[in-house]
Amino acid sequence: MTLDTAERCDVLVVGGGPAGVALGLLLGKEGVRTVIAEREADIYPLPRGAHIDDEIIRLLQGLGVADAVAATSRTSSRYDFLTAKGEVLMSFPSNTGRTRMGWPSGLMIHQPSMEAHLRGQLASAESVELRSQWTLIALAETPGGVLADFETPEGPRRLLAKWVVGCDGARSTIRSLGGFALDDLDFDEPWLVVDVLVDDASRLPGVNLQICDPARPTTCALMGEGRHRWEFMLRPGETAEQAQDPAFVADLLKPWKVEGAVRIERTAVYRFHALVARRWRQGRLLLAGDAAHQMPPFAGQGLCSGLRDAANLAWKLGRVVRGQSPDALLDTYQPEREPNVRAIIGMALMMGRTVCILDPQAAEERDRRMLADRAAGNVPAGPAGYPPITEGCILPGTPAAGWPFTQPVLDDGRRMDDALPHGAWLFRTPGPPPAGLPDDLIDLPLDSPRLAGFEPAVASLLAGEGVSAALVRPDRYVFGSGEAQDLVRAWAGALAAERT
Ligand SMILES: Cc1cc2nc3c(=O)[nH]c(=O)nc-3n(C[C@H](O)[C@H](O)[C@H](O)COP(=O)(O)OP(=O)(O)OC[C@H]3O[C@@H](n4cnc5c(N)ncnc54)[C@H](O)[C@@H]3O)c2cc1C
């Protein structure tokens, strides 16, 4: 097959996990011709992620699946780190009502079900196609794009894509083929994961727990309806094979007194790592999700981070593919996302290093220190400490720039994002539109019928920041705020900028 005859698409997404499918759906909203190539025939069937945060539920809302995911989810009011004696070392409260994202601060879910809901949406994404059992084996950059070779059940296949995004997970083929180097943040601990089906929930803890017992560091976490999870750190010398022996697992569960209340669904041994790709873009190749970063699961943020990558990239790829922005816009992706990911990994490592202590003396010292810190009110910030975007496609120094824009919710449960079209939004006080307003910037004066019902909340958000306008990007992050005319000018400049 020659270059001329190769099948073409705008964006090739390699990997049909949550990051890849979410990216595909978001590219579909941008009208971008997208192929998602996935090695496996089906969704990875075993649970991995159990927690998603409010920003990610909002993102799923935009993809039309939040209600379905929430319907079988559960909430935990706290995430507690306890000593072996049950004293509280750290406690992160959750908002089980509504945060400013319009959802509870976290939902405990079943990842395969969430992925199934996402894949269900592909049927209505006209420009997006999922090709299952397509395994990427080779890539070659050409002046016209990237040639990608696949093994498929029908034999070899070739695609020519303008852009390729590796959403192909921890062992990313794109990362190897593209020669992307990884920064290793020095965490490597083996844990046994035990997922159970629940017959009697009344006998299980109702909140998420880390038991910082040096004899056996243990996680106990809620999942979606009808499921629960334990994770047990393996001690030196314990092998993955031993750890999955039913008698070994039964012994570990004994202190929880859940015999007869749960049935084991699966056991698996994972090594938890912390890794970040040094570059997230090389030419026409980009990385997202676990291909770009991996973190131990203590903060419940791996999947969430991958979906944030997808949201950040999709609208930028859309603009570049349509020729509305130079490809330099894609260079804002890593500086916008990496500091956030590194801060989250820092939180996950802090949590992991608190829990993963096997030496009794070191654990005693940790307990003494952390209990004293807690008594003195010196406690970690938790998720509230994750940083906003500080550089990239934003107008720094203006109020709320780089933070997700609040989503007001009406008394009848209607959420603002559902009322507004996909795209960038300009909220502003009523009056004539600013000069040079581009067609694809959705003009939302406070008296716009589109804002009916939401206008008091938006007006109060603007007033709270002391501004008359705010420009919100398609990924719901605030580009900047201030005067509408200044924002329109700055937005046009940022989107057209050739970076050096
Ligand atoms: C025990 C555990 C608990 C976790 N808990 C949480 C949590 O509570 N919250 C949270 O946010 N995250 C959590 N995570 C992390 C979360 O599961 C991952 O971050 C998430 O699944 C990564 O999604 P992804 O789409 O980037 O990669 P994957 O889900 O790994 O998808 C990658 C896809 O690429 C495909 N692929 C690979 N190579 C090729 C190729 N050459 N050609 C074609 N296709 C290919 C694979 O088949 C796969 O389907 C947890 C993980 C574990 C292991």
Side-chain angles (χ1 to χ4, degrees), residues 1 22 29 58 125 131 166 238 252 287 308 353 400 419 423 449 470 494:
M1 189 181 296
K29 283 177 180 285
R58 181 184 186 182
R131 308 243 172 113
E238 289 174 343
L252 291 174
L287 298 178
R308 271 190 272 274
R353 287 184 177 133

Side-chain angles (χ1 to χ4, degrees), residues 14-20 37-40 42 44 47-52 108 111 115 119 134-137 150 167-174 193 229 231 266 270 272 288-291 293 295 297 299-306:
V14 180
E38 165 57 48
R39 182 179 56 200
E40 304 298 331
D42 291 307
Y44 185 68
R48 288 178 291 166
H51 163 267
I52 52 173
M108 305 307 295
Q111 182 173 335
E115 289 190 44
R119 285 206 183 181
W134 274 46
T135 304
L136 177 80
I137 52 164
F150 298 88
C167 295
D168 48 352
R171 295 195 192 93
S172 168
T173 308
I174 302 256
V193 177
R229 167 173 293 168
E231 292 169 12
R266 69 103 180 219
Y270 286 95
F272 295 153
D290 274 19
H293 42 71
M295 60 190 77
Q301 280 289 335
L303 185 161
C304 296
S305 298

Side-chain angles (χ1 to χ4, degrees), residues 262-487:
V262 301
R263 279 168 292 135
I264 290 172
E265 184 180 27
R266 69 103 180 219
T267 58
V269 171
Y270 286 95
R271 293 199 80 90
F272 295 153
H273 295 289
L275 303 160
V276 182
R278 299 218 173 109
R279 296 185 61 185
W280 296 24
R281 175 187 175 201
Q282 284 179 173
R284 294 176 179 275
L285 306 183
L286 295 131
L287 298 178
D290 274 19
H293 42 71
Q294 289 150 55
M295 60 190 77
F298 302 104
Q301 280 289 335
L303 185 161
C304 296
S305 298
L307 295 201
R308 271 190 272 274
D309 295 344
N312 188 295
L313 258 185
W315 68 273
K316 294 175 182 172
L317 278 168
R319 292 194 63 88
V320 171
V321 164
R322 290 191 298 269
Q324 291 171 314
S325 286
D327 70 74
L329 183 60
L330 301 174
D331 289 333
T332 62
Y333 166 56
Q334 182 173 359
E336 289 187 1
R337 289 288 307 126
E338 186 181 2
N340 179 272
V341 162
R342 282 192 183 260
I344 289 175
I345 293 180
M347 177 66 65
L349 288 178
M350 182 280 286
M351 291 173 166
R353 287 184 177 133
T354 300
V355 184
C356 298
I357 294 183
L358 296 173
D359 172 33
Q361 257 180 335
E364 216 177 295
E365 167 50 29
R366 170 203 61 204
D367 294 353
R368 212 180 8 253
R369 182 178 41 80
M370 291 186 72
L371 290 170
D373 278 354
R374 190 168 157 76
N378 182 11
V379 290
Y386 301 153
I389 294 170
T390 52
E391 65 166 300
C393 188
I394 59 164
L395 193 54
T398 61
W403 289 96
F405 192 70
T406 296
Q407 172 173 231
V409 183
L410 300 184
D411 290 344
D412 63 8
R414 274 184 297 144
R415 294 183 167 85
M416 185 178 76
D417 292 4
D418 294 334
L420 302 180
H422 176 74
W425 301 329
L426 179 67
F427 296 104
R428 61 179 180 88
T429 46
L437 187 78
D439 289 346
D440 58 354
L441 179 55
I442 298 155
D443 187 27
L444 296 167
L446 292 176
D447 56 0
S448 161
R450 284 176 160 157
L451 282 179
F454 298 102
E455 164 260 320
V458 176
S460 121
L461 286 170
L462 296 183
E465 299 293 356
V467 294
S468 57
L471 200 156
V472 179
R473 313 186 322 180
D475 58 6
R476 306 295 156 251
Y477 277 77
V478 177
F479 166 73
S481 61
E483 294 286 328
Q485 189 63 70
D486 297 338
L487 292 175

Side-chain angles (χ1 to χ4, degrees), residues 76-90:
S76 166
S77 58
R78 293 194 317 275
Y79 183 20
D80 286 351
F81 287 63
L82 307 178
T83 66
K85 289 189 232 152
E87 300 143 300
V88 181
L89 294 175
M90 296 191 282

Side-chain angles (χ1 to χ4, degrees), residues 49-322:
H51 163 267
I52 52 173
D53 66 29
D54 52 350
E55 190 186 340
I56 296 311
I57 310 163
R58 181 184 186 182
L59 196 156
L60 296 180
Q61 175 196 340
L63 297 178
V65 300
D67 287 329
V69 171
T72 58
S73 70
R74 293 190 291 159
T75 52
S76 166
S77 58
R78 293 194 317 275
Y79 183 20
D80 286 351
F81 287 63
L82 307 178
T83 66
K85 289 189 232 152
E87 300 143 300
V88 181
L89 294 175
M90 296 191 282
S91 181
F92 299 101
S94 308
N95 180 346
T96 55
R98 249 183 231 147
T99 70
R100 64 186 200 86
M101 296 291 109
W103 291 93
S105 59
L107 292 182
M108 305 307 295
I109 56 130
H110 178 237
Q111 182 173 335
S113 308
M114 186 202 82
E115 289 190 44
H117 290 306
L118 282 173
R119 285 206 183 181
Q121 295 300 95
L122 286 171
S124 47
E126 277 171 23
S127 62
V128 186
E129 207 188 321
L130 172 67
R131 308 243 172 113
S132 296
Q133 295 181 281
W134 274 46
T135 304
L136 177 80
I137 52 164
L139 286 174
E141 277 220 39
T142 71
V146 182
L147 270 177
D149 286 307
F150 298 88
E151 274 170 2
T152 81
E154 290 78 41
R157 290 287 183 275
R158 174 168 275 193
L159 273 180
L160 178 65
K162 289 182 190 144
W163 299 96
V164 178
V165 188
C167 295
D168 48 352
R171 295 195 192 93
S172 168
T173 308
I174 302 256
R175 212 175 50 219
S176 325
L177 292 174
F180 288 85
L182 283 174
D183 199 359
D184 188 336
L185 303 181
D186 192 24
F187 193 87
D188 182 9
E189 301 291 357
W191 281 67
L192 168 70
V193 177
V194 179
D195 288 331
V196 300
L197 299 170
V198 177
D199 293 320
D200 183 357
S202 69
R203 289 174 51 198
L204 271 60
V207 297
N208 293 333
L209 298 171
Q210 294 288 352
I211 312 298
C212 306
D213 179 356
R216 181 68 73 186
T218 300
T219 307
C220 175
L222 280 63
M223 297 176 79
E225 227 167 58
R227 286 189 166 84
H228 214 89
R229 167 173 293 168
W230 276 269
E231 292 169 12
F232 302 97
M233 185 174 172
L234 298 188
R235 302 188 60 86
E238 289 174 343
T239 64
E241 201 185 3
Q242 276 170 342
Q244 290 180 84
D245 184 280
F248 187 93
V249 176
D251 245 20
L252 291 174
L253 285 176
K254 212 170 262 162
W256 296 88
K257 299 188 175 63
V258 291
E259 210 179 335
V262 301
R263 279 168 292 135
I264 290 172
E265 184 180 27
R266 69 103 180 219
T267 58
V269 171
Y270 286 95
R271 293 199 80 90
F272 295 153
H273 295 289
L275 303 160
V276 182
R278 299 218 173 109
R279 296 185 61 185
W280 296 24
R281 175 187 175 201
Q282 284 179 173
R284 294 176 179 275
L285 306 183
L286 295 131
L287 298 178
D290 274 19
H293 42 71
Q294 289 150 55
M295 60 190 77
F298 302 104
Q301 280 289 335
L303 185 161
C304 296
S305 298
L307 295 201
R308 271 190 272 274
D309 295 344
N312 188 295
L313 258 185
W315 68 273
K316 294 175 182 172
L317 278 168
R319 292 194 63 88
V320 171
V321 164
R322 290 191 298 269

